[in-house]
Amino acid sequence: MAGNDFPKTFPVKALAESRRSELVAAQRRGEPFCDETGLPESEVRHRLTSVSFYAHAIEFMDMKWPALEPGSRRTLATALATVALALIDDHDGAPEYSVGFRALAGWSFNKTARAAAKPCDEVTEAIAWIEKHSLPLSALADRRSLVLRTTAPPRTTQASSSRRRPTATR
């Protein structure tokens, strides 16, 4: 762990002692520990195979939420929604892309919206489907699965009047 501290608090001393004994047992087995998380490698591998990208993205957004300005929150939610829709195991029965995107960017990756109220039925159904079909984080290790599945929305062409024109330099 290279001198890094990874503090964690527990509600009761017995839980802390139990966790300590698990870590000591892993150390006695000679198991390597991750320098970034302080966890035994077996726990890191288990987390990668058991947590879906969707769940991890929500956890990530919730962690970042308090420190971000509203515009940055929107940008990050949009990016996470795009990636979450690309990292789905099967597209049969998938909600329409625009519905899924709105559900993710506007509700799943919006901590305030999730706390405020239950979403409409269309969003609830889309979220349930995405949650069920989201790939595990371990899929990110496989380069072939990362050739993102081209689920991005079709690009619209811009009107010629809205495009930036190159400026001449003198």
Side-chain angles (χ1 to χ4, degrees):
M1 289 190 276
N4 294 332
D5 288 335
F6 300 96
K8 178 156 174 141
T9 58
F10 294 88
V12 292
K13 185 176 180 178
L15 290 174
E17 286 297 321
S18 174
R19 180 62 180 146
R20 181 183 174 280
S21 67
E22 290 171 359
L23 295 173
V24 169
Q27 182 183 24
R28 286 189 180 141
R29 288 191 304 268
E31 189 171 335
F33 281 67
C34 175
D35 290 335
E36 295 166 7
T37 63
L39 298 174
E41 290 293 332
S42 62
E43 288 185 28
V44 173
R45 279 192 308 276
H46 176 71
R47 179 168 167 77
L48 288 175
T49 58
S50 64
V51 175
S52 71
F53 177 82
Y54 172 76
H56 182 70
I58 289 176
E59 185 179 321
F60 176 76
M61 188 64 171
D62 287 352
M63 176 195 66
K64 291 290 193 181
W65 189 266
L68 295 175
E69 296 293 326
S72 297
R73 289 174 180 169
R74 261 189 312 277
T75 300
L76 183 56
T78 299
L80 288 173
T82 302
V83 174
L85 288 172
L87 294 175
I88 292 175
D89 65 359
D90 184 15
H91 293 282
D92 292 338
E96 189 175 317
Y97 186 90
S98 61
V99 173
F101 187 85
R102 276 195 321 272
L104 290 170
W107 194 81
S108 290
F109 302 137
N110 184 326
K111 190 174 182 178
T112 305
R114 281 197 329 269
K118 187 177 183 249
C120 68
D121 290 340
E122 182 181 49
V123 169
T124 302
E125 290 171 12
I127 294 300
W129 190 93
I130 291 166
E131 189 173 16
K132 182 179 177 184
H133 291 86
S134 179
L135 290 172
L137 286 177
S138 60
L140 298 176
D142 181 10
R143 286 183 176 263
R144 290 183 302 262
S145 73
L146 282 184
V147 175
L148 293 177
R149 301 160 180 8
T150 61
T151 57
R155 300 225 177 224
T156 57
T157 57
Q158 294 177 327
S160 61
S161 61
S162 67
R163 268 187 253 138
R164 291 191 102 180
R165 304 231 186 260
T167 56
T169 56
R170 294 178 202 229

